[in-house]
Amino acid sequence: MKLSVLDQSPLLPGMTPHDALQQTTELAKWTDELGFHRYWVSEHHSTESLAGSAPEILVSHLAAHTNNIRIGSGGVLLPHYSSYKVAEAFRVLETLHPGRIDLGVGRAPGGMPNVNLALNKGKLPTIEDYPAQVEELMAYLHGQDPYGQEVYATPRGETAPRVWMLGSSGTSARLAADLGTSYSFAHFINGRGGTRAMDRYKRYFSPSMQQGEPQGNISVFVVCAETNEEAEYLASSLDLALLRIEQGGRHTHFPSSDEAIHHPYTMAELDRVQENRNRIIVGTPDEVKTSIEQLAEEYNIEEVMLNTIVSPFEKRLKSYELIAEAFKLTPSLQK
């Protein structure tokens, strides 16, 4: 099984955006050394508790600071941008780091509704154009001139970034299948219905210029510690963070575990916390390993991306280390 990382560059308690991006760099280097397969960074806008607003820049930085791990976007929110420009940005990245770049794309707004307007000169993006945008993107990435106008995405080369379609529903799964992209299901966003979406993707997959067979993975929140007591303590901060996100409002940092365990939860809030645990794996290394393997079996996939948001930062590093040891990961020179 392949294990990978999804990093949203969270602001932990007492940290600044500079700290968050430094921690993203350190975590990428650490998981590269541990033997993780790929490392994706996300795109969020006008969100004070997450520092990753420009994944294409972070991908360039992280690829330059790592050696073996694949680096990619999880993902670029394509409706906001020109497919041609995105293709050129990632063709530059592929030329700098051939065979190591992933281009995950999504169609979510990446923030509050007004973000759409700010990114699109006061207009709302046309979501209906998204499938055509992905087709354009793949054509440009693979050296084609989709409109016959002698326009190519440069620099051209023999390899191309792999396009992954990101989603949390059956709609995105069917679109990935129809266009012949790889598909990543966000289990950490939607803890129910994902297995049906992945099955739909595989059942309807059509070969493309990129790949001849379906390739899927999922991303899930994971908190691992040496004891159950510590794992639950660390995960309590994520429980509260997810609850606050659902309740709306602006938050500058993720809460600490001390803050979370002293939070006066209502019965309704406790019900939501329990429901959200469908999106989180919590436990000791052996328990986490078993849960990851069971989830992969349910989805019929061979790769799981782990998203760990706990504080202090050293505990994030330790969580990935414990999981790497449980799975006996070893660094590879060829991914």
Side-chain angles (χ1 to χ4, degrees), residues 1-6 38 40 164-168 182-191 193-199 201-202 215-222 278-279 281 291-307:
M1 171 180 283
K2 296 176 181 176
L3 295 182
S4 298
V5 180
L6 173 64
R38 73 177 90 241
W40 284 357
W164 287 77
M165 188 162 292
L166 315 184
S168 56
S182 297
Y183 179 61
S184 183
F185 184 85
H187 187 92
F188 76 105
I189 294 176
N190 179 9
T195 55
R196 291 192 298 273
M198 188 63 68
D199 179 69
Y201 163 68
K202 292 186 174 183
Q215 180 181 11
N217 69 26
I218 63 168
S219 48
V220 60
F221 285 122
V222 178
N278 290 308
R279 303 151 61 185
I281 293 173
S291 295
I292 290 174
E293 290 174 335
Q294 289 176 344
L295 198 59
E297 184 176 356
E298 291 172 9
Y299 275 90
N300 190 25
I301 54 170
E302 298 180 354
E303 179 184 1
V304 177
M305 305 196 76
L306 315 182
N307 184 0

Side-chain angles (χ1 to χ4, degrees), residues 9 15 54 152 194 204 224 227 289 294 309 325 331:
S9 301
M15 297 293 104
Y152 300 92
Y204 291 104
C224 184
T227 67
K289 180 175 184 289
Q294 289 176 344
I309 303 178
E325 290 174 350

